[in-house]
Amino acid sequence: KLGPLGYDGKTTKYSRVLQIINIHKCDNEFQRLVTQEAIGEMVARLSGWEHGARLAQDQVWAKPPGSSPLVFHRDSPYFMFTPDDVVTVWIALDDMDQELGPLEYVRGSHKWGDGRVGSSSSFFQSDSKNLLYSAAAREGIEDAESCLEIISLAGLSAGGLSIHHGKTWHGSGKNASNDRPRRGLGLHFVPAEVKFIKEDAKKSKLWRKYVAEEDTDDDDSPTINVTDDDFPLVWTPQLEDTSL
């Protein structure tokens, strides 16, 4: 019988990566964390979002001992909003070292073209860098395996965080430890004024329910508003003004 995090404490043979989406909707402590104004302000100012920052989604990634690597990917293609900016804040819930398979970034990859490769169903392929190398090849990068600069978050302490552009290629290795979990919380932020791109969102298993709730037969607009209940407005300049 599998225990917490898909780990029974005795063997790593059947360890499974656990993904929890929008944990803030069922846990008050996480809700307070992911809607911290200080985090939203930091993201908005770094990104140049003059209207503020909104939480699009949170994701807990819990990798028990022996679990698989996470395929290198980009975050932006999975968010069907306009404007299409996405910024991710990743918070370490355990001390990160190389054995645990910490998050890794490809330096400069946020400047690559917008072509999308792969899907969420390919997150746990055995070759975690195959999609990355394909994308690099399209950018004209030869011998990507030796040319790309990989930045590891090994050494990041629990409670520490990193921030990356939604177009940055990133992934992580397997958890090679025998007895330690590797857990992290990703917060995906978008500009405060975003709207769903209706037709794109309708095709997404993740987003279609939100579009269906707001869509009407007499609305021919290509976009649909998001709701504050589902996509909390974390920080705007107006919030700062009212706190003075």
PDB file of all heavy atoms in Angstrom, residues 46-61:
ATOM      1  N   LEU A  46       8.852  43.189 -11.349  1.00  0.00           N
ATOM      2  CA  LEU A  46       9.890  42.560 -12.166  1.00  0.00           C
ATOM      3  C   LEU A  46       9.445  42.419 -13.619  1.00  0.00           C
ATOM      4  O   LEU A  46      10.252  42.536 -14.546  1.00  0.00           O
ATOM      5  CB  LEU A  46      10.236  41.177 -11.609  1.00  0.00           C
ATOM      6  CG  LEU A  46      11.130  41.114 -10.378  1.00  0.00           C
ATOM      7  CD1 LEU A  46      11.229  39.679  -9.867  1.00  0.00           C
ATOM      8  CD2 LEU A  46      12.535  41.638 -10.693  1.00  0.00           C
ATOM      9  N   SER A  47       8.153  42.174 -13.812  1.00  0.00           N
ATOM     10  CA  SER A  47       7.631  41.894 -15.146  1.00  0.00           C
ATOM     11  C   SER A  47       7.166  43.143 -15.885  1.00  0.00           C
ATOM     12  O   SER A  47       6.855  43.073 -17.077  1.00  0.00           O
ATOM     13  CB  SER A  47       6.455  40.903 -15.050  1.00  0.00           C
ATOM     14  OG  SER A  47       6.827  39.754 -14.320  1.00  0.00           O
ATOM     15  N   GLY A  48       7.074  44.255 -15.163  1.00  0.00           N
ATOM     16  CA  GLY A  48       6.586  45.479 -15.782  1.00  0.00           C
ATOM     17  C   GLY A  48       5.087  45.476 -16.012  1.00  0.00           C
ATOM     18  O   GLY A  48       4.595  46.117 -16.949  1.00  0.00           O
ATOM     19  N   TRP A  49       4.351  44.751 -15.165  1.00  0.00           N
ATOM     20  CA  TRP A  49       2.890  44.691 -15.292  1.00  0.00           C
ATOM     21  C   TRP A  49       2.284  45.865 -14.531  1.00  0.00           C
ATOM     22  O   TRP A  49       2.134  45.824 -13.296  1.00  0.00           O
ATOM     23  CB  TRP A  49       2.356  43.377 -14.733  1.00  0.00           C
ATOM     24  CG  TRP A  49       2.834  42.154 -15.464  1.00  0.00           C
ATOM     25  CD1 TRP A  49       3.423  42.100 -16.691  1.00  0.00           C
ATOM     26  CD2 TRP A  49       2.745  40.799 -15.008  1.00  0.00           C
ATOM     27  NE1 TRP A  49       3.710  40.809 -17.038  1.00  0.00           N
ATOM     28  CE2 TRP A  49       3.309  39.976 -16.027  1.00  0.00           C
ATOM     29  CE3 TRP A  49       2.262  40.185 -13.850  1.00  0.00           C
ATOM     30  CZ2 TRP A  49       3.389  38.595 -15.902  1.00  0.00           C
ATOM     31  CZ3 TRP A  49       2.339  38.807 -13.731  1.00  0.00           C
ATOM     32  CH2 TRP A  49       2.896  38.024 -14.756  1.00  0.00           C
ATOM     33  N   GLU A  50       1.915  46.882 -15.228  1.00  0.00           N
ATOM     34  CA  GLU A  50       1.495  48.115 -14.570  1.00  0.00           C
ATOM     35  C   GLU A  50       0.159  47.997 -13.844  1.00  0.00           C
ATOM     36  O   GLU A  50      -0.131  48.782 -12.933  1.00  0.00           O
ATOM     37  CB  GLU A  50       1.439  49.255 -15.586  1.00  0.00           C
ATOM     38  CG  GLU A  50       0.456  49.066 -16.713  1.00  0.00           C
ATOM     39  CD  GLU A  50       0.463  50.219 -17.709  1.00  0.00           C
ATOM     40  OE1 GLU A  50       1.473  50.959 -17.748  1.00  0.00           O
ATOM     41  OE2 GLU A  50      -0.537  50.386 -18.420  1.00  0.00           O
ATOM     42  N   HIS A  51      -0.662  47.016 -14.225  1.00  0.00           N
ATOM     43  CA  HIS A  51      -1.964  46.865 -13.571  1.00  0.00           C
ATOM     44  C   HIS A  51      -1.935  45.876 -12.404  1.00  0.00           C
ATOM     45  O   HIS A  51      -2.934  45.709 -11.702  1.00  0.00           O
ATOM     46  CB  HIS A  51      -3.021  46.416 -14.584  1.00  0.00           C
ATOM     47  CG  HIS A  51      -3.216  47.393 -15.704  1.00  0.00           C
ATOM     48  ND1 HIS A  51      -3.723  48.661 -15.516  1.00  0.00           N
ATOM     49  CD2 HIS A  51      -2.934  47.291 -17.037  1.00  0.00           C
ATOM     50  CE1 HIS A  51      -3.767  49.298 -16.668  1.00  0.00           C
ATOM     51  NE2 HIS A  51      -3.298  48.496 -17.601  1.00  0.00           N
ATOM     52  N   GLY A  52      -0.817  45.197 -12.210  1.00  0.00           N
ATOM     53  CA  GLY A  52      -0.703  44.270 -11.094  1.00  0.00           C
ATOM     54  C   GLY A  52      -0.597  42.823 -11.538  1.00  0.00           C
ATOM     55  O   GLY A  52      -0.422  42.512 -12.720  1.00  0.00           O
ATOM     56  N   ALA A  53      -0.715  41.913 -10.556  1.00  0.00           N
ATOM     57  CA  ALA A  53      -0.531  40.475 -10.803  1.00  0.00           C
ATOM     58  C   ALA A  53      -1.700  39.678 -10.248  1.00  0.00           C
ATOM     59  O   ALA A  53      -2.223  39.965  -9.167  1.00  0.00           O
ATOM     60  CB  ALA A  53       0.770  39.998 -10.163  1.00  0.00           C
ATOM     61  N   ARG A  54      -2.078  38.646 -10.995  1.00  0.00           N
ATOM     62  CA  ARG A  54      -3.178  37.766 -10.641  1.00  0.00           C
ATOM     63  C   ARG A  54      -2.641  36.330 -10.590  1.00  0.00           C
ATOM     64  O   ARG A  54      -1.812  35.940 -11.416  1.00  0.00           O
ATOM     65  CB  ARG A  54      -4.281  37.890 -11.693  1.00  0.00           C
ATOM     66  CG  ARG A  54      -5.534  37.109 -11.430  1.00  0.00           C
ATOM     67  CD  ARG A  54      -6.526  37.286 -12.589  1.00  0.00           C
ATOM     68  NE  ARG A  54      -6.997  38.640 -12.747  1.00  0.00           N
ATOM     69  CZ  ARG A  54      -8.012  39.194 -12.082  1.00  0.00           C
ATOM     70  NH1 ARG A  54      -8.667  38.466 -11.191  1.00  0.00           N
ATOM     71  NH2 ARG A  54      -8.378  40.434 -12.300  1.00  0.00           N
ATOM     72  N   LEU A  55      -3.112  35.534  -9.618  1.00  0.00           N
ATOM     73  CA  LEU A  55      -2.730  34.134  -9.555  1.00  0.00           C
ATOM     74  C   LEU A  55      -3.575  33.327 -10.533  1.00  0.00           C
ATOM     75  O   LEU A  55      -4.799  33.287 -10.414  1.00  0.00           O
ATOM     76  CB  LEU A  55      -2.914  33.582  -8.139  1.00  0.00           C
ATOM     77  CG  LEU A  55      -2.506  32.111  -7.953  1.00  0.00           C
ATOM     78  CD1 LEU A  55      -0.996  31.959  -8.021  1.00  0.00           C
ATOM     79  CD2 LEU A  55      -3.041  31.566  -6.626  1.00  0.00           C
ATOM     80  N   ALA A  56      -2.919  32.688 -11.499  1.00  0.00           N
ATOM     81  CA  ALA A  56      -3.645  31.843 -12.440  1.00  0.00           C
ATOM     82  C   ALA A  56      -3.820  30.437 -11.890  1.00  0.00           C
ATOM     83  O   ALA A  56      -4.850  29.794 -12.102  1.00  0.00           O
ATOM     84  CB  ALA A  56      -2.912  31.782 -13.785  1.00  0.00           C
ATOM     85  N   GLN A  57      -2.799  29.970 -11.161  1.00  0.00           N
ATOM     86  CA  GLN A  57      -2.827  28.582 -10.689  1.00  0.00           C
ATOM     87  C   GLN A  57      -1.662  28.348  -9.741  1.00  0.00           C
ATOM     88  O   GLN A  57      -0.619  28.988  -9.846  1.00  0.00           O
ATOM     89  CB  GLN A  57      -2.691  27.649 -11.895  1.00  0.00           C
ATOM     90  CG  GLN A  57      -2.779  26.168 -11.607  1.00  0.00           C
ATOM     91  CD  GLN A  57      -2.418  25.353 -12.834  1.00  0.00           C
ATOM     92  OE1 GLN A  57      -1.255  25.182 -13.151  1.00  0.00           O
ATOM     93  NE2 GLN A  57      -3.423  24.868 -13.549  1.00  0.00           N
ATOM     94  N   ASP A  58      -1.834  27.436  -8.789  1.00  0.00           N
ATOM     95  CA  ASP A  58      -0.693  26.928  -8.030  1.00  0.00           C
ATOM     96  C   ASP A  58      -0.579  25.428  -8.260  1.00  0.00           C
ATOM     97  O   ASP A  58      -1.556  24.771  -8.619  1.00  0.00           O
ATOM     98  CB  ASP A  58      -0.803  27.259  -6.529  1.00  0.00           C
ATOM     99  CG  ASP A  58      -1.924  26.504  -5.817  1.00  0.00           C
ATOM    100  OD1 ASP A  58      -1.933  25.250  -5.866  1.00  0.00           O
ATOM    101  OD2 ASP A  58      -2.780  27.147  -5.185  1.00  0.00           O
ATOM    102  N   GLN A  59       0.630  24.906  -8.079  1.00  0.00           N
ATOM    103  CA  GLN A  59       0.866  23.473  -8.245  1.00  0.00           C
ATOM    104  C   GLN A  59       1.873  22.983  -7.216  1.00  0.00           C
ATOM    105  O   GLN A  59       2.968  23.529  -7.126  1.00  0.00           O
ATOM    106  CB  GLN A  59       1.420  23.160  -9.638  1.00  0.00           C
ATOM    107  CG  GLN A  59       0.481  23.432 -10.774  1.00  0.00           C
ATOM    108  CD  GLN A  59       1.037  22.920 -12.100  1.00  0.00           C
ATOM    109  OE1 GLN A  59       1.800  21.973 -12.145  1.00  0.00           O
ATOM    110  NE2 GLN A  59       0.650  23.566 -13.185  1.00  0.00           N
ATOM    111  N   VAL A  60       1.488  22.001  -6.442  1.00  0.00           N
ATOM    112  CA  VAL A  60       2.430  21.292  -5.593  1.00  0.00           C
ATOM    113  C   VAL A  60       3.017  20.137  -6.403  1.00  0.00           C
ATOM    114  O   VAL A  60       2.277  19.380  -7.030  1.00  0.00           O
ATOM    115  CB  VAL A  60       1.753  20.737  -4.321  1.00  0.00           C
ATOM    116  CG1 VAL A  60       2.700  19.802  -3.575  1.00  0.00           C
ATOM    117  CG2 VAL A  60       1.311  21.874  -3.411  1.00  0.00           C
ATOM    118  N   TRP A  61       4.345  20.030  -6.405  1.00  0.00           N
ATOM    119  CA  TRP A  61       5.032  18.898  -7.019  1.00  0.00           C
ATOM    120  C   TRP A  61       5.790  18.179  -5.915  1.00  0.00           C
ATOM    121  O   TRP A  61       6.718  18.743  -5.323  1.00  0.00           O
ATOM    122  CB  TRP A  61       5.995  19.371  -8.101  1.00  0.00           C
ATOM    123  CG  TRP A  61       5.329  19.861  -9.354  1.00  0.00           C
ATOM    124  CD1 TRP A  61       5.017  21.150  -9.666  1.00  0.00           C
ATOM    125  CD2 TRP A  61       4.891  19.071 -10.458  1.00  0.00           C
ATOM    126  NE1 TRP A  61       4.410  21.214 -10.894  1.00  0.00           N
ATOM    127  CE2 TRP A  61       4.326  19.954 -11.406  1.00  0.00           C
ATOM    128  CE3 TRP A  61       4.928  17.707 -10.738  1.00  0.00           C
ATOM    129  CZ2 TRP A  61       3.795  19.520 -12.609  1.00  0.00           C
ATOM    130  CZ3 TRP A  61       4.407  17.270 -11.949  1.00  0.00           C
ATOM    131  CH2 TRP A  61       3.842  18.170 -12.869  1.00  0.00           C
TER     132      TRP A  61
END
